[in-house]
Amino acid sequence: DDHPWIAPTATDVRSPCPGLNTLANHGYLPRTGMNITISQILGAALQGFNVDADAIIQAAKFGLLSGNAPETMNLDALSLHNLIEHDASLSRNDFALGDNLHFNETVFSTLANSNPGVDFYNTTSAGLVQHARLTDSVARNPNVTNTLKEHLLRSRESSLYLSIMGDPLTGVAPKQFVQIFFREERLPIAEGWTRPTTLIDSTTLAPLESIIRPVSMWVASQACEDLVIGP
Ligand code: HEM
Ligand code: MG
């Protein structure tokens, strides 16, 4: 194993993204979590998860805005609220309610306990989890930010965890793999996970999102400016 999981040291920094953190914990990204380029992120996502650049390049570009360096970012800076980091996350608290950077088991219990009676998560359960997490934020967070931008980010993130931990073509992912990914930020290789053989890109993610989004019964809390994120 040339990319062993090693827990971050006291000086290593990590992000609110379980995907980037897992890549850093396995050494696909610099283990320090510091001074990371877009090229390093795109290469690591492909090597570690078989995720194509087209699925994450916008997020990676936005990530540069989290700091002052022209071409690099630090993982901890990605917790900057409302840049990419948003409310109603699956595994982190809302910014106004506490710690929006580190894994939180209480928050994660909604996803962990979803799809009862079977041993997998799917697009339907992911949509229901998004609904439950947003309902909780709207009820308890008077400062909640919930526009189309956040909805699209959250739906992309759900389709990503189902794809990298399961079958990118069906969106079915073993619960054990998803839970290890979020809780330990580790690739569950010892438990039987293998890197997806299907390239995960916007053409595989979009069909999953087209199920997740209506199931989530999303309603905006605020309007946002029209989103322009590419040509
Ligand atoms: C959140 C996966 C790439 C930045 C998330 C979440 C997942 C995820 C599942 C939701 C976490 C939660 O709701 O608790 C992935 C995967 C990636 C990837 C599999 C492929 C390598 C990226 C990239 C960036 C990024 C390229 C930017 C440089 C973030 C941030 C969050 C996040 C800032 C926090 C959003 C929030 O929940 O508030 N990611 N991600 N991710 N991701 Fe990623
Ligand atoms: Mg968040």
Side-chain angles (χ1 to χ4, degrees), residues 5 18 25 29 37 40 43-44 47 49 54 67 84 113 125 127 130 149 153 173 179 201 210 217 225:
W5 183 89
N25 291 342
L29 285 175
T37 65
Q40 285 177 315
Q47 258 198 295
F49 296 137
D54 96 303
I84 306 167
N113 297 327
S125 68
Q130 283 187 202
K149 173 191 169 190
L153 279 169
Q179 291 176 13
D201 61 13
S210 75
M217 294 182 295
E225 295 176 49

Side-chain angles (χ1 to χ4, degrees), residues 94-213:
D94 284 4
F95 175 70
L97 300 179
D99 179 350
N100 69 342
L101 172 57
H102 297 98
F103 176 81
N104 180 307
E105 181 66 37
T106 304
V107 173
F108 183 64
S109 67
T110 302
L111 169 47
N113 297 327
S114 68
N115 224 19
V118 294
D119 62 0
F120 58 87
Y121 303 121
N122 60 18
T123 48
T124 304
S125 68
L128 294 173
V129 169
Q130 283 187 202
H131 180 76
R133 287 293 306 121
L134 182 59
T135 300
D136 178 63
S137 288
V138 168
R140 294 193 300 115
N141 182 357
N143 262 317
V144 70
T145 304
N146 168 38
T147 73
L148 181 61
K149 173 191 169 190
E150 288 75 34
H151 171 65
L152 294 177
L153 279 169
R154 294 170 61 230
S155 300
R156 172 54 52 97
E157 291 158 5
S158 292
S159 69
L160 275 171
Y161 77 73
L162 292 173
S163 296
I164 63 165
M165 287 296 124
D167 182 340
L169 298 177
T170 62
V172 172
K175 286 181 175 177
Q176 185 191 25
F177 294 176
V178 171
Q179 291 176 13
I180 290 169
F181 168 70
F182 275 96
R183 289 188 174 124
E184 302 177 42
E185 300 183 332
R186 172 168 75 76
L187 296 173
I189 296 165
E191 291 78 10
W193 176 89
T194 54
R195 177 178 177 267
T197 53
T198 303
L199 181 69
I200 297 163
D201 61 13
S202 46
T203 67
T204 66
L205 294 167
L208 305 183
E209 291 165 14
S210 75
I211 301 172
I212 293 168
R213 292 181 56 196

Side-chain angles (χ1 to χ4, degrees), residues 15-20 23 41-42 44-46 49 51 55-64 73 75 77-81 83-93 100 103 107-108 133 153-154 156-162 164 181-182:
S15 76
C17 174
L20 296 176
L23 293 171
I41 290 174
L42 301 182
L46 192 63
F49 296 137
V51 169
I56 54 169
I57 189 149
Q58 279 121 352
K61 288 180 177 180
F62 273 113
L64 292 180
M73 66 194 89
L75 292 183
L78 294 175
S79 62
L80 182 63
H81 185 49
L83 178 61
I84 306 167
E85 196 284 316
H86 53 73
D87 291 328
S89 296
L90 302 169
S91 66
R92 270 68 171 167
N93 225 323
N100 69 342
F103 176 81
V107 173
F108 183 64
R133 287 293 306 121
L153 279 169
R154 294 170 61 230
R156 172 54 52 97
E157 291 158 5
S158 292
S159 69
L160 275 171
Y161 77 73
L162 292 173
I164 63 165
F181 168 70
F182 275 96

